[in-house]
């Protein structure tokens, strides 16, 4: 039986590899398909940033069950820190990523140590409060952050002295970052750390009974999640050349939550798909009607009621049902 | 020093209510100590106090000469674990994931393994890829006992592990308790079923109104089986 289990595990692992390969192939194909439509490549680049952001929230909510209503706080934090550093320290993308992630780990560790001791609604409300505090800080320190106008005049990012200007190169960087983040998230999910998080999500008291330091494990999840959101922020500000307080607003946090719920909480692939679908739909639907948010709200309600597992969860359930119906498969079993 | 879990004049409180009134007893390694008594007498509170889950305690719990104190996870890391009455598996994890997540290697080479758990509970082996929450109550109980043993505790506390289970499952639970004892684990068993308690117990304490009112060795308990059963019958 253990052998069967190992084989099942290999199948699951192969499924993840196939999923990564599909995303990589689709991502690599896109620049060729959009060669004469640069706007589409730009839109796809924004979708990739949104996907990294969605994955970051799933690393928290999907793994430990901690629901954040203010996840954009770390997205905006990353964007502002990287933006300020690029104007004062270095424009090298590697340096900016490393310095910003170090700052994020430090700050999210200090804040998270207080937050993760709260559960449920209290945690969610505190995360919302955190994002609004960060939003307010942009205006308090407007001489540094640019206030309502946002942080403008970000130097063009470089990599070992070479300027990164080509939209295709930017797209490749964003796709690579997403694939790396997703591969890392999948690896952690299967590692003892990921299993421990899932146990905590299921029942934190029982997890304590078998010796898990629940607060520490939640803090690790929070810091990793914040760092990934911050990475999305770094990439956004360097790609976009500017940032604004909107990145920290609770509406942005709501959008990230919608990516995750739409795709499927806890599925890792789902939120990535949810973010891409949302970003594309947002663009196209909003070009037809100003009331696009109403339609999205209705879709959100529908997904929560009809398919609580989101798009990915629903598709996976459908695939399982179809494969169970195949007569050959049953006979083989 | 002999390995022992010792309760020294333990009192426990929920808010202003005192539930335990100076309990003292000990659980040697590789032994099964049964706490018997009617519902509401303080047996479960004794176990919860051991894990640091009551509002306040007085007295001490000593584990191999060190005071058992601190948050629940720290006590578990010191070597005690609790299988509560309400089971609660990690419902959305598979059986195998439930077992893997509980493994706490000691590096002694004597660690309890998943293969050994499957030997005691073959049903778990057949359900390895099944979501734990979809199993029957008896299977879930097997899983939580196996999960507790995989943490390689020095002491394991079982709170009415056979409540509502069919005889075949009760036999498997009894076997797991024997296995734990054979491995040197001390077991505290809170049980309403006198037949199970007598089949595995080495020492017996009757708990009434938060106090131990009677302590019996195995021979004495076997000789007074009817008296014990009468005591657990609500009139």
């Amino acid at each position: 039986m253990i052998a069967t289990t190992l084989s099942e595990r290999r199948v699951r692992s192969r499924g993840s590899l196939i999923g990564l390969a599909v995303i990589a192939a689709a991502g690599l194909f896109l620049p060729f398909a959009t060669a004469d439509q640069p706007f589409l490549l730009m839109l796809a680049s924004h979708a990739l940033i949104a996907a990294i952001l969605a994955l970051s929230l799933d690393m928290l909510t999907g793994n430990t069950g901690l629901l954040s209503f203010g996840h954009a706080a770390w997205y905006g934090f990353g964007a502002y820190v990287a933006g300020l550093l690029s104007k004062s320290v270095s424009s090298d993308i590697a340096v900016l990523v490393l310095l910003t992630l170090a700052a994020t780990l430090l700050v999210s560790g200090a804040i998270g140590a207080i937050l993760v001791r709260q559960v449920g609604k209290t945690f969610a409300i505190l995360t919302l409060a955190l994002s609004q505090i960060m939003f307010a800080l942009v205006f308090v320190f407007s001489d540094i952050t640019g206030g309502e106008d946002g942080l403008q005049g970000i130097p063009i990012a470089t990599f070992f002295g070479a300027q990164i200007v080509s939209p295709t190169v930017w797209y490749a960087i964003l796709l690579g970052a997403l694939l790396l983040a997703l591969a890392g998230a999948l690896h952690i999910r299967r590692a003892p750390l990921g299993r421990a998080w899932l146990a905590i999500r299921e029942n934190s008291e029982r997890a304590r009974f078998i010796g898990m330091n629940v607060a520490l494990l939640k803090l690790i999840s929070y810091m990793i999640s914040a760092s990934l959101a911050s990475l999305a922020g770094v990439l956004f500000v360097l790609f976009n050349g500017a940032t604004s307080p909107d990145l920290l607003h609770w509406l942005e946090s709501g959008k990230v939550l919608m990516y995750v719920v739409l795709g499927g909480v806890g599925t890792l692939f789902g939120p990535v798909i949810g973010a891409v679908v949302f970003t594309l739909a947002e663009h196209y639907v909003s070009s037809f009607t100003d009331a696009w948010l109403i339609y999205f709200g209705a879709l959100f309600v529908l997904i929560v009621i009809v398919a609580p597992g989101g798009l990915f969860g629903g598709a996976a359930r459908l695939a399982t049902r179809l494969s169970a119906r195949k007569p050959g498969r049953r006979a083989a079993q | 020093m002999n390995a022992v879990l010792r309760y020294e004049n333990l009192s426990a409180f929920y808010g202003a209510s005192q539930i335990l009134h100076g309990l003292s007893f000990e659980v040697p390694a590789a032994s099964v100590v049964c706490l018997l008594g009617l519902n509401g007498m303080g047996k479960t509170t004794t176990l919860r106090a051991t894990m640091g889950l009551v509002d306040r305690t007085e007295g001490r719990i000593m584990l191999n000469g060190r005071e058992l104190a601190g948050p629940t996870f720290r006590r578990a890391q010191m070597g005690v674990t609790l299988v509560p009455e309400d089971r609660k598996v990690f419902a959305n994890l598979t059986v195998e994931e439930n077992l893997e997540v509980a493994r706490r290697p000691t590096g002694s080479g004597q660690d309890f393994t998943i293969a050994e758990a499957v030997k005691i509970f073959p049903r778990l082996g057949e359900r390895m890829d099944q979501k734990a929450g979809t199993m029957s109550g008896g299977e879930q109980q097997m899983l939580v006992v196996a999960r507790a043993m995989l943490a390689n505790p020095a002491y394991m506390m079982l709170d009415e592990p056979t409540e509502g289970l069919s005889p075949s499952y009760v036999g498997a639970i009894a076997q797991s308790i024997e296995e734990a004892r054979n491995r040197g684990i001390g077991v505290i068993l809170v049980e309403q079923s006198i037949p199970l308690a007598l089949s595995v117990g080495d020492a017996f304490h009757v708990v009434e109104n938060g106090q131990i009112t009677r302590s019996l060795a195995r021979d004495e308990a076997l000789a007074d089986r009817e008296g014990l059963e009468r005591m657990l019958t609500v009139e």
Side-chain angles (χ1 to χ4, degrees):
Chain A
M1 190 60 218
I2 298 290
T4 310
T5 302
L6 289 173
S7 113
E8 288 284 337
R9 197 185 294 167
R10 269 187 223 114
V11 168
R12 283 201 295 267
S13 177
R14 203 180 304 143
S16 298
L17 282 176
I18 291 170
L20 274 174
V22 167
I23 291 176
L28 289 171
F29 171 74
L30 195 86
F32 298 105
T34 60
D36 54 346
Q37 300 172 77
F39 173 73
L40 283 183
L41 195 63
M42 176 81 82
L43 187 62
S45 298
H46 280 289
L48 290 173
I49 294 171
I52 296 171
L53 185 56
L55 184 63
S56 76
L57 181 58
D58 204 33
M59 287 295 285
L60 178 71
T61 305
N63 283 332
T64 59
L66 288 169
L67 181 60
S68 173
F69 284 163
H71 207 58
W74 298 111
Y75 182 43
F77 179 87
Y80 272 96
V81 170
L84 291 169
L85 287 172
S86 75
K87 292 175 95 170
S88 56
V89 178
S90 166
S91 62
D92 190 289
I93 188 168
V95 172
L96 290 170
V97 166
L98 286 176
L99 289 179
T100 308
L101 289 189
T104 309
L105 284 171
L106 209 66
V107 178
S108 67
I111 293 172
I114 301 162
L115 291 188
V116 298
R117 291 178 190 281
Q118 314 302 321
V119 292
K121 282 176 281 188
T122 312
F123 177 84
I125 296 298
L126 285 177
T127 56
L128 180 62
L130 171 70
S131 75
Q132 288 308 97
I133 289 170
M134 288 205 186
F135 179 73
L137 285 176
V138 170
F139 295 93
V140 172
F141 297 103
S142 57
D143 48 338
I144 303 168
T145 63
E148 198 171 350
D149 296 334
L151 199 58
Q152 307 288 333
I154 306 292
I156 293 172
T158 59
F159 187 59
F160 286 105
Q163 288 195 327
I164 309 169
V165 285
S166 158
T168 311
V169 172
W170 262 115
Y171 175 81
I173 289 171
L174 296 172
L175 180 63
L178 173 64
L179 289 172
L180 273 177
L182 193 50
L186 288 164
H187 176 72
I188 294 177
R189 173 63 65 83
R190 288 198 179 77
L193 177 63
R195 295 269 168 79
W197 281 338
L198 295 182
I200 288 170
R201 186 187 70 187
E202 294 294 315
N203 192 319
S204 57
E205 188 184 62
R206 295 303 181 267
R208 287 188 186 97
F209 286 178
I210 51 177
M212 288 184 194
N213 186 341
V214 170
L216 179 64
L217 287 164
K218 281 182 176 176
L219 179 60
I220 293 169
S221 168
Y222 186 77
M223 289 167 72
I224 291 176
S225 168
S227 300
L228 205 49
S230 173
L231 174 68
V234 176
L235 295 172
F236 172 81
V237 74
L238 298 181
F239 172 67
N240 201 45
T243 186
S244 77
D246 289 349
L247 256 69
L248 291 153
H249 198 266
W250 62 267
L251 276 173
E252 190 67 30
S253 295
K255 227 156 80 170
V256 187
L257 197 56
M258 281 185 82
Y259 300 158
V260 176
V261 174
L262 180 67
V265 181
T267 59
L268 298 180
F269 280 109
V272 169
I273 296 166
V276 172
V277 168
F278 189 101
T279 307
L280 299 182
E282 181 183 17
H283 170 72
Y284 287 110
V285 178
S286 64
S287 65
F288 286 116
T289 170
D290 288 339
W292 63 275
L293 261 175
I294 295 176
Y295 297 109
F296 272 50
L299 178 68
F300 186 78
V301 171
L302 195 71
I303 292 275
V304 168
I305 294 171
V306 178
L311 294 174
F312 187 80
R317 238 190 347 263
L318 189 66
T320 308
R321 271 191 203 156
L322 289 176
S323 88
R325 277 187 192 167
K326 279 185 187 168
R329 185 176 168 85
R330 270 198 192 152
Q333 285 174 339
Chain B
M1 181 182 293
N2 289 333
V4 66
L5 178 64
R6 181 176 289 122
Y7 292 78
E8 297 177 359
N9 206 25
L10 180 71
S11 294
F13 303 81
Y14 285 118
S17 303
Q18 184 169 2
I19 310 299
L20 300 182
H21 299 266
L23 246 71
S24 295
F25 67 99
E26 60 181 46
V27 187
S31 73
V32 179
V33 171
C34 301
L35 299 183
L36 307 174
L38 292 171
N39 286 333
M41 291 296 160
K43 306 183 300 295
T44 297
T45 301
T46 306
L47 306 189
R48 291 183 63 81
T50 312
M51 297 307 290
L53 294 168
V54 296
D55 291 348
R56 183 165 67 88
T57 58
E58 289 173 3
R60 293 194 306 177
I61 304 171
M62 303 296 290
L63 175 64
N64 302 338
R66 287 172 64 201
E67 183 166 3
L68 192 64
T72 302
F73 79 89
R74 188 86 66 207
R75 294 175 191 231
Q77 288 175 352
M78 285 174 77
V80 292
T81 191
L82 168 64
V83 177
E85 192 181 350
D86 57 3
R87 295 172 194 140
K88 296 263 174 76
V89 292
F90 299 128
N92 284 309
L93 302 193
T94 65
V95 170
E96 188 186 19
E97 286 167 341
N98 265 269
L99 296 173
E100 277 191 351
V101 84
R103 279 177 57 204
R104 182 167 292 281
T106 62
S108 66
Q110 305 291 314
D111 289 347
F112 190 67
T113 64
I114 292 180
E116 286 169 308
V118 169
K119 209 183 282 178
I120 299 173
F121 302 117
R123 190 66 67 89
L124 296 183
E126 296 161 15
R127 301 267 190 273
M128 278 292 180
D129 293 315
Q130 189 174 327
K131 289 271 171 72
T134 64
M135 297 199 302
S136 71
E139 289 164 346
Q140 290 190 19
Q141 185 64 47
M142 289 177 178
L143 179 57
V144 290
V145 172
R147 199 172 68 188
M149 290 178 73
L150 278 160
N152 289 300
Y155 291 89
M156 182 165 76
M157 301 180 288
L158 304 174
D159 193 358
E160 305 208 14
T162 64
E163 192 189 20
L165 299 190
S166 68
S168 63
Y169 290 128
V170 173
I173 297 295
Q175 193 192 337
S176 70
I177 295 171
E178 300 274 10
E179 176 66 25
R181 176 170 47 202
N182 293 341
R183 291 181 155 271
I185 298 172
V187 177
I188 301 180
L189 175 64
V190 166
E191 187 55 68
Q192 297 273 1
S193 160
I194 291 295
L196 174 73
L198 290 178
S199 73
V200 297
D202 298 306
F204 302 81
H205 300 294
V206 176
V207 182
E208 290 177 297
N209 297 318
Q211 292 174 307
I212 291 179
T213 54
R214 210 176 150 200
S215 296
L216 302 94
R218 180 175 172 77
D219 292 346
E220 294 169 315
L222 286 171
D224 191 23
R225 182 187 188 112
E226 281 184 13
L228 290 172
E229 281 181 342
R230 221 175 18 252
M231 181 201 72
L232 290 181
T233 306
V234 181
E235 289 174 5

